Amino acid sequence: MLVDIRTEFSVITANPRILVESIAAFLEKQSMMKGPSGPHLVRATREAGRWRRHCQPTVEHGAGMKQMRQVKKASQPSSKTLPKAATGIQGLDEITGGGLPRGRPTLVSGGAGAGKTLFGLEFLVRGATQYSEPGVFMSFEESIPDLTKNVASLGFDLDRLVTDKKLFVDHVSIMRSELGETGEYDLEGLFIRIADAVQRVGARRVVLDTIEALFGELPNPSILRAEIRRLFNWLKQKGLTTVITAERDHPDRLTRHGIEEFVSDCVILLDHRIREEISTRRLRIVKYRGSTHGTNEYPFLIDDQGISVLPISSLGLDHDAPAKRVSSGIARLDGMLGGKGFYQGSSILASGTAGTGKTTIAACFVDAACRRAERALFFAFEESPRQIVRNMRSIGIDLDPWVRKGLLQFHAARPTYGGIEQVLLLTHKRITSFQPSVVVVDPVTNLLMVSTQNEVRSMLTRLVDFLKTQGITTIFTSLTAAGALEASEADVSSLMDTWLLLKNIEVGGERNRALYVLKSRGMEHSNQIREFLLTDDGLRLLDVYLGAEGVLTGSARVSQEMREKAVVTFRRQELESRRRELERKRRIFEARMVMLRAEFEVEEEVIQQTISESELLGEEVVQDRGQMVLSRQADSSSYKKDVRAKAARKR
Amino acid sequence: MKNRPKKSRPTGKRKPGLAGELEQPGSHSRQAKYILRLYVSGSTLKSALAVENIKRICEQHLKNRYDLEVIDIYQQPNLARDEQIVAVPTLIKRLPHPMRRLIGDLSNLKRVLFGLDLGMREQ
């Protein structure tokens, strides 16, 4: 008997459950065709039921055995954690800790245009292409050509997946106008269509989009509800990971017809809200039975690569802290930062009032990175790339070659184009795809236009965390209102490792740029103010002068410089003249000395002459006296003494 | 239209379209040939009931001018897809026009007859 039935149903033996059911149905029909009614039919049905039970183990040894086992293995893993089916949707698998509950239905609810259909389709497409899990898409609203066209813009080629037997798309449409109800019914038609589709591609994933449409088309909601419940149970029993989309028409309810009560495992809410004229899409996991999950509202984005859920609030603070330093592109600034520049992977805030040169600092940094053949990504929220390139050329920084070489990429868009999350997502995606080592966000304050301070701060926290884990050095510029210089907008300064403050100093009727290093974590840094000059050949930092009225910059500094130069010259001249005078005096003195000596010599000569004359004269007197004594013969000895003394005195 | 088909048939001047000539859409349902397809799923109670009901109705109201086919969608899932069968049992009236689908086990006779353009006064 069993063999007969199996040959009869050979077409569908691949799926044991269908086989069993078919056998039962066959039996029932057999008994029915004999023209039974009442108790006979009931007995046949009962018999069939028994057959179902009987057949199950027998079939397992048959053709469907292998598949059956695989299904079992997949739905009952050895580990105790809930098995999950990765969605492949960017970011969602992180929030859910691995994906949707495997083998169970998940409800995706949201208002019109929230992205439900896309969610479902991406789940299938990624499943088919990345995880080799084929899928079945049951569309209750859109026709297949419409669907194909709509998702083609997202890079999904449904036609190819269908021909490759990785995907089966079925459009369920009921023309209400043709319809009449004549009694009790069930949704067996739908069951069979799904079962057949599942079997054709060996599907592991099913999407029902949007099954609640049936409520509008089929009569008798109570039957429908019971049948939908049965359908969900059936899908679960078959171990199919199912996404059921539902439209949310009221904030208090998840679905229009309350089918969420049948889906108890996982409910995801998609939201599309508008605040201050800017729309953001958000995703929240309302419940996920048997699994931990992120509970926040996560922004998500639909773009040409499908859905990306925002990655992901807190990445934790366990990023690396490389000791490598990178140059800021301004030698003097490197000098102010311990002589080596910024830490790699650090975040730098350049804040200042309008026109203080924030973008220029960023451009210098980018230029330096490109010179080192590193890639740089420039997010410009205020200027167009061409404008930036032109403006930087005026100070001798040519970014154009880097753009042409592919080392520098610009991403310019007003943040008002989308919500803040969109901005974050875009930055994130661009960074992930371009893999730069240097990033500029110019300016972060523009984000405040689209969101509140709190949100900007949390967004920046996420961005900074992300950049740090990637080891990307980033300059954020921030426009501050004059007067509140050190209070950075959005209060982001605590997120930053290095904070450069740019300031306009107003002295003597002119404004001049100045730069401080307000903080720089983990390195020695200068406490000095530097004047900051934009010249034709780049950016220069100069010492400022401290005068009586404070720091001197610009022409005040120049005049001070000249004044100092004059003073120096004057002093030098004075010194020289004194030296010359000294010399002159010395010469005068020496001349005088020569003269005096000459006079002295003259006098000396005269005196000598006199002396010698006198001596001569004295001797003659003595001789005369001696002769007189000789002649008088008296007191000769005492007289001689006297004469000698006189002669000495005279000399 | 309001006449009961049973009565009208014997008094009808022309024999209804046994020859299979196509009637003008929507008109003269009393004479038109009916092409009916009943989609059932295996042999559930509802399916059996529907088969029974439609056979009876056809015999009573459309004798000799109907073409009824009972299709088990278990065996032909493709057909279910092509014919957009969701609810089972579904009776599709292909001809005469307009096409109509009647879902359910066809136990509400009044509605079945109305759906088949066979008059409302059937009890």
Side-chain angles (χ1 to χ4, degrees), chain B:
Chain B
M1 282 298 275
K2 302 274 165 166
N3 284 342
R4 281 150 62 171
K6 229 180 179 180
K7 262 188 182 174
S8 71
R9 221 187 304 128
T11 55
K13 279 168 196 161
R14 278 178 295 163
K15 190 88 176 133
L18 245 181
E21 66 211 84
L22 288 176
E23 303 289 334
Q24 283 166 19
S27 67
H28 308 301
S29 55
R30 274 175 296 169
Q31 294 134 30
K33 182 178 175 178
Y34 273 73
I35 297 180
L36 301 173
R37 297 280 179 272
L38 178 64
Y39 293 86
V40 296
S41 57
S43 48
T44 57
L45 194 61
K46 278 192 280 288
S47 299
L49 209 57
V51 171
E52 213 174 306
N53 283 334
I54 193 63
K55 278 184 176 163
R56 199 181 59 239
I57 291 168
C58 285
E59 278 307 304
Q60 279 177 13
H61 299 271
L62 298 167
K63 193 152 180 86
N64 295 332
R65 56 178 183 119
Y66 70 88
D67 171 15
L68 171 69
E69 198 179 325
V70 178
I71 296 150
D72 183 358
I73 51 170
Y74 266 131
Q75 289 167 41
Q76 285 162 293
N78 257 338
L79 224 54
R81 199 168 292 124
D82 297 341
E83 289 293 336
Q84 285 294 352
I85 306 298
V86 175
V88 171
T90 297
L91 178 69
I92 296 182
K93 179 190 73 151
R94 289 226 181 124
L95 280 176
H97 286 299
M99 181 159 145
R100 292 212 56 125
R101 293 157 175 269
L102 302 178
I103 65 163
D105 55 16
L106 305 170
S107 56
N108 187 332
L109 188 61
K110 205 170 146 187
R111 286 199 189 168
V112 176
L113 291 179
F114 176 69
L116 294 176
D117 282 339
L118 289 172
M120 294 175 69
R121 280 178 39 188
E122 288 296 332
Q123 31 104 17

Side-chain angles (χ1 to χ4, degrees), chain A residues 106-120 137-138 140-141 207-215 228 232 242-250 253-263 266-271:
Chain A
T106 296
L107 180 70
V108 175
S109 162
K116 304 182 291 290
T117 304
L118 187 65
F119 184 102
F137 191 89
M138 301 294 290
F140 293 83
E141 283 174 339
V207 171
L208 307 175
D209 176 57
T210 305
I211 197 164
E212 280 194 321
L214 291 179
F215 281 95
I228 288 177
F232 292 173
T242 310
V243 167
I244 296 140
T245 65
E247 183 139 333
R248 190 186 194 209
D249 60 340
H250 195 275
R253 288 182 296 190
L254 280 171
T255 61
R256 198 183 286 256
H257 297 278
I259 59 165
E260 67 267 26
E261 64 186 84
F262 308 144
V263 185
C266 182
V267 177
I268 294 174
L269 191 64
L270 304 180
D271 191 14

Side-chain angles (χ1 to χ4, degrees), chain A residues 261-287:
Chain A
E261 64 186 84
F262 308 144
V263 185
S264 49
D265 297 296
C266 182
V267 177
I268 294 174
L269 191 64
L270 304 180
D271 191 14
H272 190 199
R273 83 179 60 151
I274 300 200
R275 197 170 54 205
E276 294 187 7
E277 299 166 18
I278 286 156
S279 80
T280 47
R281 297 175 186 274
R282 283 160 200 273
L283 177 148
R284 183 163 71 94
I285 296 165
V286 180
K287 85 174 176 190

Side-chain angles (χ1 to χ4, degrees), chain A residues 308-356:
Chain A
S308 5
V309 183
L310 196 75
I312 301 315
S313 59
S314 157
L315 291 155
L317 284 172
D318 54 354
H319 42 76
D320 264 357
K324 211 186 135 196
R325 304 280 277 261
V326 290
S327 165
S328 65
I330 306 161
R332 247 345 248 286
L333 182 57
D334 290 346
M336 290 171 80
L337 298 163
K340 295 173 201 152
F342 307 119
Y343 278 119
Q344 188 192 345
S346 66
S347 40
I348 299 119
L349 178 69
S351 78
T353 49
T356 43

Side-chain angles (χ1 to χ4, degrees), chain A residues 20-227:
Chain A
V20 170
E21 254 145 49
S22 306
I23 292 165
F26 177 72
L27 283 176
E28 282 167 33
K29 201 159 57 184
Q30 289 289 318
S31 52
M32 190 180 75
M33 276 171 181
K34 285 167 198 155
S37 61
H40 197 95
L41 181 68
V42 173
R43 197 169 42 175
T45 319
R46 211 186 299 138
E47 231 164 73
R50 207 178 303 146
W51 258 105
R52 269 174 228 218
R53 286 190 293 278
H54 271 269
C55 285
Q56 197 99 13
T58 329
V59 171
E60 263 189 64
H61 298 289
M65 184 178 87
K66 213 173 176 183
Q67 195 185 349
M68 192 88 161
R69 276 201 184 149
Q70 276 172 349
V71 171
K72 274 196 162 174
K73 207 186 274 173
S75 58
Q76 292 166 0
S78 50
S79 68
K80 278 188 176 171
T81 53
L82 193 74
K84 288 177 182 179
T87 58
I89 294 172
Q90 220 178 14
L92 183 66
D93 294 340
E94 279 101 315
I95 307 173
T96 51
L100 303 181
R102 180 175 288 283
R104 297 180 185 204
T106 296
L107 180 70
V108 175
S109 162
K116 304 182 291 290
T117 304
L118 187 65
F119 184 102
L121 258 178
E122 188 167 354
F123 170 66
L124 290 188
V125 171
R126 303 252 180 238
T129 53
Q130 294 174 12
Y131 305 102
S132 45
E133 291 194 1
V136 169
F137 191 89
M138 301 294 290
S139 170
F140 293 83
E141 283 174 339
E142 280 179 279
S143 71
I144 299 174
D146 281 354
L147 212 59
T148 311
K149 220 178 289 168
N150 293 351
V151 298
S153 62
L154 306 170
F156 299 155
D157 189 353
L158 287 196
D159 283 338
R160 235 193 79 208
L161 287 170
V162 170
T163 38
D164 291 354
K165 297 216 163 208
K166 286 178 172 171
L167 191 67
F168 195 95
V169 186
D170 190 3
H171 177 216
V172 178
S173 94
I174 301 166
M175 302 299 284
R176 184 74 178 98
S177 56
E178 294 178 353
L179 209 72
E181 189 213 355
T182 63
E184 289 204 353
Y185 65 92
D186 55 40
L187 291 183
E188 204 60 34
L190 183 62
F191 278 64
I192 288 166
R193 282 164 76 168
I194 299 174
D196 178 62
V198 165
Q199 193 221 323
R200 271 163 191 264
V201 293
R204 308 292 312 280
R205 300 176 176 208
V206 174
V207 171
L208 307 175
D209 176 57
T210 305
I211 197 164
E212 280 194 321
L214 291 179
F215 281 95
E217 289 162 344
L218 290 175
N220 204 337
S222 58
I223 290 184
L224 203 50
R225 286 178 67 80
E227 282 298 293

Side-chain angles (χ1 to χ4, degrees), chain A residues 356-403:
Chain A
T356 43
K358 301 180 291 293
T359 307
T360 313
I361 290 219
C364 276
F365 182 55
V366 162
D367 186 50
C370 291
R371 275 177 209 282
R372 295 190 300 266
E374 294 173 3
R375 266 180 295 194
L377 188 54
F378 200 118
F379 292 98
F381 294 138
E382 242 159 25
E383 292 172 275
S384 79
R386 250 167 283 166
Q387 196 183 344
I388 293 175
V389 169
R390 182 201 67 195
N391 294 353
M392 289 310 133
R393 204 173 283 147
S394 75
I395 56 160
I397 300 172
D398 196 0
L399 298 174
D400 210 31
W402 309 131
V403 176

